[in-house]
Amino acid sequence: MYSPRTGAPAPFYEKIKRVISDNIAAGIWRPHDRIPSEAELVAQFGFSRMTINRALRELTDEGLLVRLQGVGTFVAEPKGQSALFEVHSIADEIAARQHQHRCEVLLLEAVNADTQQAQALNVAEGTRIFHSLMVHFENDVPVQIEDRCVNAEVVPEYLQQDYTTTTAHDYLSLIAPLTEGEHIVEAVKASAEECRLLTIHEHDPCLLIRRRTWSRTGIVSHARLIFPGSRYRLQGHFPS
């Protein structure tokens, strides 16, 4: 296999990507199917684990795969359209920097939607929804508060997942694949409790992203993502 741009032999990870992509295109692996693990692919192809990991990571970024830490890698459902900003798992972003991610789950509960939650999810006030509150760490430094409400009808088993081994983003992407996304970005002052969770001072600047995601069945979730301004950079990719 040769690179179409240079005519030189393609890198090993590109060969793995081509095999996986061809299997998906041919219907050998269908949406939601679990593909072989990294160890199984290493044994099958004889390439290093680093090579296999890069191939899987790039296919995930391209939307062909969904990776759930501690669970496996699955074929993604084809997306109807692309969001203006690519939406990635914070765990994957941290791993791409060769850093360690961990998550502390502070709340995971069923609640009756208040007025704001009902508007965000486009459901009636008082509807039973799911609410989660988590803090994400990079090398044991808190970098994000994730305050999320989820449409319980679309994702009925949301509360049964272990979000210390997979992210809410990755689980939702598998169960209700993203077809549309909305970002609202603001500079905010964190509350006293948010400052405590992020270990920042009262007047330190923060970035708030309000993110709503849709699947084919409607709005899936609304998340308030709060980042210390000194620990986050907003980066988007615009299609040509």
Side-chain angles (χ1 to χ4, degrees), residues 72 175 190 231 234:
I175 302 302
R231 302 175 197 160
L234 181 63

Side-chain angles (χ1 to χ4, degrees), residues 162-234:
D162 181 358
Y163 296 112
T164 64
T165 60
T166 189
T167 64
H169 169 273
D170 284 344
Y171 177 69
L172 294 173
S173 296
L174 178 65
I175 302 302
L178 176 72
T179 58
E180 185 178 348
E182 173 188 81
H183 282 88
I184 300 174
V185 183
E186 303 174 64
V188 298
K189 177 183 177 182
S191 68
E193 176 62 11
E194 290 164 346
C195 289
R196 185 187 70 80
L197 293 174
L198 294 172
T199 63
I200 59 176
H201 298 296
E202 180 183 355
H203 297 292
D204 287 352
C206 286
L207 184 69
L208 169 64
I209 298 179
R210 302 181 191 271
R211 177 184 294 164
R212 283 202 297 177
T213 55
W214 283 256
S215 72
R216 293 176 180 175
T217 54
I219 297 176
V220 177
S221 80
H222 174 268
R224 292 179 69 254
L225 308 174
I226 303 175
F227 305 82
S230 61
R231 302 175 197 160
Y232 186 75
R233 179 181 67 182
L234 181 63

Side-chain angles (χ1 to χ4, degrees), residues 80-100:
Q81 64 185 81
S82 297
L84 179 61
F85 286 99
E86 296 178 359
V87 180
H88 299 298
S89 162
I90 188 171
D92 288 343
E93 293 178 355
I94 291 171
R97 295 191 285 270
Q98 306 298 312
H99 291 172
Q100 295 296 315

Side-chain angles (χ1 to χ4, degrees), residues 7-27:
F12 292 149
Y13 72 87
E14 289 285 0
K15 296 180 181 180
I16 304 301
K17 288 177 63 178
R18 175 61 62 83
V19 171
I20 294 173
S21 299
D22 288 348
N23 283 346
I24 293 172

Side-chain angles (χ1 to χ4, degrees), residues 107-121:
L107 283 175
L108 193 57
E109 59 185 358
V111 298
N112 295 325
D114 61 23
T115 301
Q116 289 185 333
Q117 292 169 330
Q119 290 176 348
L121 294 177

Side-chain angles (χ1 to χ4, degrees), residues 139-158:
N139 291 346
D140 287 326
V141 176
V143 292
Q144 183 197 88
I145 296 173
E146 175 189 326
D147 187 353
R148 185 184 297 270
C149 57
V150 176
N151 189 323
E153 184 175 343
V154 177
V155 193
E157 297 184 359
Y158 181 76

